[in-house]
Amino acid sequence: MASAYTPGLTVSGDIVVRKIRRLPIKGEVLVKQGERVSPDTVLARAMLPGPLQTLKLAEKLGVEARDVPAIFRLKAGEQVEKGQVVAETKGLFGMFKSTVASDCSGIIESISEVTGNALVREPSIPVDVNGYIHGSVAEVIPMEGAIIETRCAMVQGIFGVGGERHGKIEVVVKDSSEVLDAQHIKPEHAGKILIGGSGVTFAALQKASQNGVVGLIVGGVKDSDLIKFLGFDIGVAITGQENISLTLLVTEGFGFLNMAQRTFELLKSLEGQEASLNGATQIRAGVIRPEIIVPIAADVALASAKKEAFLLELGVPIRVIREPYFGRLGKVTGLPHQLVALESGTEVRVLNAKLDDGEEVTVPRANVEIMASE
């Protein structure tokens, strides 16, 4: 019988993760294989050419373009500083001279007797890629970056916003059903990743941002609150590039939804530890999940051998990712072989599941993801 596979959502207390960290352009790798790195370690650096600026010499001096090279004080390839006089006319009887100063610093790239302009290339802009997680360099990618490997606890969410950040974990609610509100946020939470319960209010998002909180992990968030906090509606493109001061990871879905108990308990057990957090999300082609990664000691024993990842079989925990059961958790109770016709007329494979509240449902297999956990 053929095996069925479906996308998985990892909630694990012990897993090995490898992260590819690559520059957007060719550059220099600054680490070696086997080297230990931290989230702030610069793995590789590239120098992005600075913008090109134009000095309109002929226009400013009131001379012919062909005369500019003779009165220009520098040569191509030489350094120029902002405010430095770069050209001067002879004037009349040594008087009434006109000068032009550079309005930027950089390298003289060219002087044209056709346009009467000089081109100045501003200083190169360094582009760095950092480690993001605590781990070791498993492999160096020449001129591009490195692959970082770590043994860790990992929780993937269903949705997130905000980029890569790191900080210590602190649980600020009593249980997985409590909503994270502004009253939970304190000044001493600056630089920390806070764990909430079933959701987060707009007031809490605002206060967390104002108090320097680097991350929030909750069960759900109201889309109206998220839009209000971001200042725009989230489209279908990848998230993670928002210009906000914190990263939000949602484990269950939109609205106020109790965080899965096993997820809450795992995060609670990690309180006080340094974690790396990323809200980048892409649901369509090339799935990217928001995540929190907490390194664990190398001498911690594996609880058990891990099952083949994402194999859909009886008893496997799942989450429904489409309406009308969006965000609900359960376990697979049946995998019928026959195709079932939907209202649209499309015939698909389905599965039977028992949701956590005891309700028995039948849903298309494409509408669920496995909760891969240990």
Side-chain angles (χ1 to χ4, degrees), residues 150-213:
T150 189
R151 181 122 164 239
C152 62
M154 180 181 189
V155 172
Q156 289 182 318
I158 198 167
F159 177 78
V161 292
E164 297 174 353
R165 292 182 168 90
H166 62 92
K168 288 187 177 180
I169 295 174
E170 183 167 335
V171 180
V172 292
V173 294
K174 295 178 180 178
D175 55 52
S176 61
S177 63
E178 187 176 356
V179 174
L180 178 60
D181 203 354
Q183 63 185 4
H184 294 102
I185 313 294
K186 310 296 181 185
E188 57 267 28
H189 290 150
K192 293 187 176 181
I193 297 171
L194 305 184
I195 310 301
S198 60
V200 60
T201 64
F202 172 70
L205 287 168
Q206 273 194 317
K207 191 172 181 181
S209 179
Q210 294 166 357
N211 282 22
V213 173

Side-chain angles (χ1 to χ4, degrees), residues 262-334:
R262 59 178 171 268
T263 303
F264 185 78
E265 292 298 331
L266 174 58
L267 292 171
K268 191 174 180 180
S269 72
L270 300 169
E271 188 168 17
Q273 298 189 49
E274 184 80 13
S276 297
L277 177 66
N278 188 5
T281 309
Q282 182 171 293
I283 304 300
R284 299 193 176 182
V287 174
I288 299 173
R289 293 294 188 188
E291 63 189 12
I292 182 169
I293 294 174
V294 184
I296 59 177
D299 57 354
V300 175
L302 282 170
S304 61
K306 190 174 182 179
K307 291 184 178 181
E308 183 178 5
F310 312 149
L311 178 63
L312 193 61
E313 56 189 6
L314 298 180
V316 165
I318 60 165
R319 183 202 308 274
V320 185
I321 58 174
R322 296 288 186 275
E323 294 294 354
Y325 308 108
F326 179 79
R328 305 271 294 275
L329 302 177
K331 289 187 177 180
V332 178
T333 57

Side-chain angles (χ1 to χ4, degrees), residues 318 320 324-325 349-353 361-368:
I318 60 165
V320 185
Y325 308 108
R349 291 198 180 279
V350 299
L351 60 79
N352 302 322
V361 299
T362 299
V363 294
R365 297 186 188 186
N367 287 8
V368 305

Side-chain angles (χ1 to χ4, degrees), residues 29-76:
V29 179
L30 306 176
V31 294
K32 298 178 180 179
Q33 187 169 351
E35 185 175 336
R36 295 291 300 176
V37 300
S38 69
D40 292 327
T41 301
V42 178
L43 306 179
R45 174 171 292 163
M47 301 305 291
L48 191 66
L52 200 60
Q53 302 293 346
T54 302
L55 301 180
K56 298 182 178 181
L57 304 173
E59 178 182 315
K60 291 183 177 181
L61 293 172
V63 299
E64 295 291 334
R66 64 175 179 270
D67 296 329
V68 166
I71 59 177
F72 193 66
R73 293 182 173 183
L74 300 173
K75 297 179 181 179

Side-chain angles (χ1 to χ4, degrees), residues 78-116:
E78 291 186 334
Q79 177 75 35
V80 63
E81 300 297 331
K82 184 176 181 180
Q84 179 181 345
V85 174
V86 294
E88 182 181 47
T89 61
K90 295 179 181 180
L92 183 63
F93 304 115
M95 302 175 65
F96 309 109
K97 295 180 180 180
S98 297
T99 61
V100 174
S102 176
D103 49 15
C104 63
S105 297
I107 302 294
I108 302 298
E109 196 154 288
S110 66
I111 309 100
S112 174
E113 61 180 15
V114 176
T115 63

